[in-house]
Amino acid sequence: MRRGRPGLVGVAARTAVVAGTATAASGRVARRQQNKYAAEDQQAAAAAPAPAAAAEPEYMAELEQLAQLRDQGIVSPEEFEAKKKQILGL
């Protein structure tokens, strides 16, 4: 038997062990990063203010009240249109 250099089977086995270890380590790093980014996304979503849907009822209520005032003759149609544009930011 030769003892100097490993044979083809020995080299293949060593390569497989090294590749398997590298794959496992890189998989751990990827999972850790994924969990970290997912946690950061959850924190950002929790800290973010509610979307514009929360503001919608406020201006809708204002427009409804303004329309009632117009229908009652308290506000002219021109005043209604001007105020509506102001509320909607147009």
Side-chain angles (χ1 to χ4, degrees), residues 57-72:
E58 290 176 24
Y59 80 78
M60 288 300 293
E62 268 188 86
L63 288 175
E64 288 173 0
Q65 289 176 340
L66 191 59
Q68 288 175 354
L69 293 174
R70 180 199 59 201
D71 294 343
Q72 293 171 359

Side-chain angles (χ1 to χ4, degrees), residues 18-86:
V18 170
T21 303
T23 301
S26 95
R28 261 193 313 268
V29 169
R31 276 191 304 278
R32 219 178 287 147
Q33 285 177 340
Q34 226 174 10
N35 291 338
K36 176 184 171 186
Y37 294 140
E40 287 174 359
D41 288 345
Q42 287 176 348
Q43 287 175 348
E56 184 174 311
E58 290 176 24
Y59 80 78
M60 288 300 293
E62 268 188 86
L63 288 175
E64 288 173 0
Q65 289 176 340
L66 191 59
Q68 288 175 354
L69 293 174
R70 180 199 59 201
D71 294 343
Q72 293 171 359
I74 298 172
V75 175
S76 70
E78 293 80 20
E79 291 171 327
F80 171 79
E81 289 299 321
K83 186 67 175 171
K84 180 174 85 172
K85 287 180 181 181
Q86 181 185 3

